[in-house]
Amino acid sequence: MTERELLEKLANKWHLSVVERRALPGQMAKVSILLELIAAIASQTGWYPHDWRPEQDFSGCLLELLPNGHCLVHRKAEVSCMSYEMLGTADYNSIQAAAKEWLQQMYPIDIDGVRLDWNA
């Protein structure tokens, strides 16, 4: 698999095998490519992750692409056992800015042990 294909898998499944991780240059994920992939998924489906929605139970962030091109990043947290609450929603002028915020909030250092290269 190419680097881009590996990062596409990481953006969709948040996991790579040991062999796949070793195939990445420096065994790191380039954030610039991940942000492109997150934006592409959100552009196709209106959401990132594509199968999450605000009314569902999750802990973390959800990116929503609006028809006017703005993006919302919804933040939820588990407030008690299996009970989740919306902490807030932030509005971004671009999908790129929203994707960066999503990634910084969800995976600031690594995704399932794959270190993120914020300089690439």
Side-chain angles (χ1 to χ4, degrees):
M1 294 175 81
T2 67
E3 177 183 12
R4 188 169 188 86
E5 290 170 331
L6 289 168
L7 294 181
E8 187 173 349
K9 180 178 178 183
L10 189 62
N12 279 293
K13 301 198 181 283
W14 306 331
H15 174 77
L16 293 178
S17 71
V18 171
V19 172
E20 291 167 332
R21 292 170 193 219
R22 289 182 183 149
L24 288 171
Q27 297 183 27
M28 295 181 76
K30 292 179 183 168
V31 168
S32 60
I33 297 173
L34 283 174
L35 293 177
E36 287 177 30
L37 294 166
I38 290 169
I41 293 166
S43 293
Q44 292 170 358
T45 66
W47 302 91
Y48 187 82
H50 70 88
D51 57 349
W52 289 15
R53 296 297 179 271
E55 65 275 3
Q56 294 174 316
D57 289 338
F58 66 89
S59 183
C61 295
L62 168 63
L63 188 155
E64 177 183 4
L65 178 60
L66 302 175
N68 66 4
H70 281 242
C71 286
L72 302 177
V73 175
H74 307 280
R75 292 192 65 202
K76 288 182 94 171
E78 188 172 16
V79 293
S80 65
C81 186
M82 300 299 293
S83 178
Y84 298 85
E85 187 174 295
M86 187 69 71
L87 299 178
T89 299
D91 187 350
Y92 293 87
N93 290 331
S94 72
I95 195 168
Q96 293 80 11
K100 185 174 182 181
E101 177 64 17
W102 185 93
L103 191 58
Q104 286 175 327
Q105 291 294 318
M106 293 292 288
Y107 298 106
I109 298 170
D110 67 85
I111 299 174
D112 191 39
V114 178
R115 293 200 47 87
L116 299 182
D117 184 352
W118 285 95
N119 298 314

